[in-house]
Amino acid sequence: MKKNTTPTLQGRWWLKELPEGLKAAKPFAQALDALEAADGKAEAGDAKGLAVATKALEAVEDRMAPLRKEVEQQFKAAGKSPAAEPLQNTLAALRAATRLLSGTRESLLNRGKAAPTAAAGKSDADDEEEITGLADPVAYQAQLKAGLMRLKRGPMQFAVGLAKTAPDHRFLVHPRQTGRALAKLIQKDSEATRITWGQAFADPEQPTRIVLVIESKVLSGLRKQLELVLKLNKPLPYTTVRIQLDGQDVDDEAQEFADADGQEESTPAQPSKPPQAPPVEGLALRQEMQALGNGLKALIAQKPAMADTIGKSVAQFDSALKGAQWDTARSILAALRKATGNSAAPSGGTAKPTPQATTAAPAPSSEGRSPTGAVNYAKARLAWLAARQKVHGELDKLRTEIRDTFADEDEPTFPDLENRLTGLDAILATLDESLADTLDAALNASQDDARRSEHHRQAQSQIAEFLAYVDADPLLSAIDANPFVPVTVHALLQSTLKALSQALRT
């Protein structure tokens, strides 16, 4: 496609101008032809004709997404070759076409406002005929995904029906049907018994969250159950839910509230409580532990055998802070300080010696003890390389899922998405193959006890550093619970490194 080409909304124009070989080109052109025909027949006041034209417009938008994705992929693959320029021009034309489609939508809306009031008074029964297949899980999943993709364009009506199990819950969104009509459809064609409805829209503060403004009643556990539905039917553009009633966020875990018809006992909605900041004492103790960090690293480097004991003490310290057990936390800090040779608390610190201090002290080390030869260095090396390879595959899977989730957005939620994804690359860049090299060196030094002992201690030190990184890095701590795709990156790294640490403790 040539530079600065002015696009139209005619299918024949696109077939002529688009680069050859695009699989999504023909479906997109056919959708444009259907829109052109439907838009020509849709007159002001013609509710049926306007509905047909609106559906045709939505079909064009739906088919533009895979076309844009295909062009973007080819553009990236083209690099700096001559083939890149026409693809770049095509992307610019698609962006211009998006603006043309927005104008068409506005035109249809204006013509719809001129429709007689009788057309706006369409019955719930008429609405129900447009959606079918709620009893079929596959058909329902397709219906849910299509509806949520359209939610990016603006607010829509919704209805939710909760059944006995999450796979039987039903959640519908629709741009034209009323929430009450959707609720009747759920009640008729599903096993859901608790039903509510209202208006849904994408949360501007968090693009992967849906806001549900309740017009009926807030069901107990609604948010949690809906998030289960989103998880079961992924990949979807949304992963979390926010519930609002009368302009306020509500706690839906307490009880159900009366609907507008007064069919249940009314209970005021409870605004959700903002998260509380940690106590000042906890913050002070946390700062003392952070100040001790370099000393602990030096101790582990000097005495690798203490790494596991120190790690357990730090974990106990974190648990004590979470439970507001300040004396226990101080005791652990005192023991760790003593182990590093610094028994004095920092100036202004909160440490208080207690009898519990001796219980958290690290165990005596076995410094200077050389390996006995019982370690199977070859097996340990293969275990680490296999774990890295598995993690590499898991990270690639997560990266692909994130890209696919946001690929079809007209206006990118995260314009710097690729920069954000570099955080995944940093994981294996940090947990590199140097440990495998050290284990290989220990294996090759089997005839030299001194060299083998040196490589053995170096491997222990590397394992301790890797474990500390795995336990402390925020991304690794949260990665297994990501909302995009199930992975076991953190669990696999942690279990493998702990097993290697145990194996080298000989």
Side-chain angles (χ1 to χ4, degrees):
M1 188 173 290
K2 297 179 181 179
K3 190 175 183 180
N4 297 326
T5 300
T6 303
T8 72
L9 293 183
Q10 295 177 334
R12 56 187 177 275
W13 183 92
W14 286 92
L15 286 179
K16 179 182 176 182
E17 298 293 335
L18 281 171
E20 295 182 0
L22 293 170
K23 296 179 181 179
K26 188 173 181 180
F28 176 61
Q30 290 173 338
L32 283 173
D33 289 339
L35 172 61
E36 186 178 14
D39 189 35
K41 297 178 181 178
E43 300 178 356
D46 178 11
K48 186 175 181 180
L50 289 168
V52 171
T54 302
K55 283 189 175 182
L57 174 62
E58 292 171 356
V60 171
E61 292 170 333
D62 290 341
R63 293 186 183 183
M64 180 187 282
L67 176 61
R68 179 186 291 108
K69 183 176 180 180
E70 188 178 0
V71 175
E72 287 174 346
Q73 289 172 342
Q74 291 195 14
F75 176 64
K76 289 179 181 179
K80 296 183 179 180
S81 69
E85 185 177 356
L87 292 167
Q88 186 177 19
N89 297 338
T90 301
L91 290 173
L94 286 170
R95 287 193 291 271
T98 300
R99 293 191 289 272
L100 292 176
L101 291 172
S102 297
T104 301
R105 180 178 292 278
E106 185 176 355
S107 174
L108 290 173
L109 288 173
N110 290 334
R111 279 177 272 174
K113 291 176 182 178
T117 54
K122 185 179 177 183
S123 70
D124 291 346
D126 291 336
D127 278 340
E128 291 176 18
E129 295 175 359
E130 296 184 20
I131 300 178
T132 58
L134 292 187
D136 180 356
V138 176
Y140 165 67
Q141 185 180 51
Q143 173 71 39
L144 176 63
K145 186 171 184 178
L148 292 182
M149 290 301 293
R150 292 189 179 97
L151 194 60
K152 295 181 180 181
R153 303 169 191 160
M156 298 170 65
Q157 297 297 307
F158 83 88
V160 175
L162 300 184
K164 291 183 179 180
T165 60
D168 294 324
H169 297 339
R170 289 296 178 261
F171 176 34
L172 293 177
V173 293
H174 201 278
R176 294 177 303 279
Q177 296 192 23
T178 66
R180 190 182 294 271
L182 294 172
K184 288 182 178 179
L185 182 61
I186 291 174
Q187 190 173 28
K188 175 183 175 183
D189 292 342
S190 76
E191 298 182 10
T193 55
R194 297 191 297 143
I195 298 175
T196 190
W197 62 85
Q199 189 178 68
F201 61 91
D203 194 335
E205 298 176 3
Q206 186 173 328
T208 57
R209 182 167 61 188
I210 306 172
V211 179
L212 299 184
V213 180
I214 303 298
E215 296 174 3
S216 173
K217 58 187 175 184
V218 179
L219 306 178
S220 176
L222 177 61
R223 179 189 58 79
K224 181 178 180 180
Q225 294 304 314
L226 264 184
E227 289 178 353
L228 280 176
V229 171
L230 297 177
K231 186 175 182 180
L232 288 171
N233 290 280
K234 65 184 177 182
L236 294 172
Y238 304 98
T239 56
T240 56
V241 177
R242 181 178 177 184
I243 309 295
Q244 290 189 339
L245 183 68
D246 296 331
Q248 286 189 316
D249 290 354
V250 298
D251 177 9
D252 63 333
E253 298 297 330
Q255 55 187 314
E256 295 184 13
F257 312 115
D259 61 14
D261 298 330
Q263 295 176 353
E264 298 184 23
E265 183 180 355
S266 177
T267 307
Q270 300 297 321
S272 58
K273 297 180 180 179
Q276 295 183 350
V280 174
E281 191 155 8
L283 288 174
L285 290 168
R286 173 67 68 189
Q287 290 172 352
E288 288 185 39
M289 176 60 82
Q290 291 173 347
L292 199 59
N294 290 335
L296 292 175
K297 289 180 181 178
L299 178 61
I300 291 173
Q302 182 184 7
K303 302 178 180 180
M306 296 183 66
D308 190 55
T309 302
I310 292 173
K312 289 180 179 178
S313 297
V314 173
Q316 291 170 357
F317 174 84
D318 290 337
S319 298
L321 285 192
K322 290 178 181 178
Q325 299 171 342
W326 314 129
D327 287 341
T328 301
R330 291 192 196 95
S331 299
I332 296 171
L333 267 174
L336 290 173
R337 253 191 236 105
K338 184 176 181 181
T340 61
N342 180 12
S343 58
S347 177
T350 61
K352 299 177 183 178
T354 71
Q356 294 174 331
T358 57
T359 64
S365 76
S366 53
E367 180 188 13
R369 183 173 61 187
S370 62
T372 63
V375 176
N376 189 332
Y377 294 111
K379 185 176 180 180
R381 177 179 180 276
L382 289 175
W384 177 237
L385 291 176
R388 287 188 81 258
Q389 185 176 7
K390 173 68 173 175
V391 167
H392 185 275
E394 294 279 80
L395 293 177
D396 276 350
K397 182 170 64 173
L398 176 58
R399 186 183 291 105
T400 300
E401 193 66 31
I402 293 173
R403 283 174 176 154
D404 288 347
T405 298
F406 298 105
D408 57 352
E409 295 184 314
D410 293 334
E411 295 293 332
T413 302
F414 301 110
D416 60 340
L417 180 62
E418 291 303 318
N419 289 336
R420 290 171 180 256
L421 290 176
T422 57
L424 300 179
D425 299 329
I427 293 174
L428 288 182
T430 303
L431 304 173
D432 56 23
E433 294 187 4
S434 61
L435 175 57
D437 295 338
T438 303
L439 293 170
D440 188 53
L443 176 65
N444 293 330
S446 57
Q447 303 303 317
D448 186 334
D449 286 349
R451 286 185 58 205
R452 187 178 71 242
S453 295
E454 180 183 350
H455 294 311
H456 186 99
R457 287 192 294 271
Q458 183 183 353
Q460 287 178 315
S461 178
Q462 286 174 303
I463 292 171
E465 290 177 4
F466 285 2
L467 262 175
Y469 170 74
V470 169
D471 290 338
D473 185 75
L475 175 59
L476 271 174
S477 299
I479 198 167
D480 287 2
N482 79 83
F484 299 97
V485 64
V487 296
T488 55
V489 172
H490 183 267
L492 176 61
L493 289 171
Q494 193 175 59
S495 61
T496 301
L497 288 168
K498 285 184 176 180
L500 292 176
S501 177
Q502 183 67 32
L504 264 66
R505 197 175 302 155
T506 59

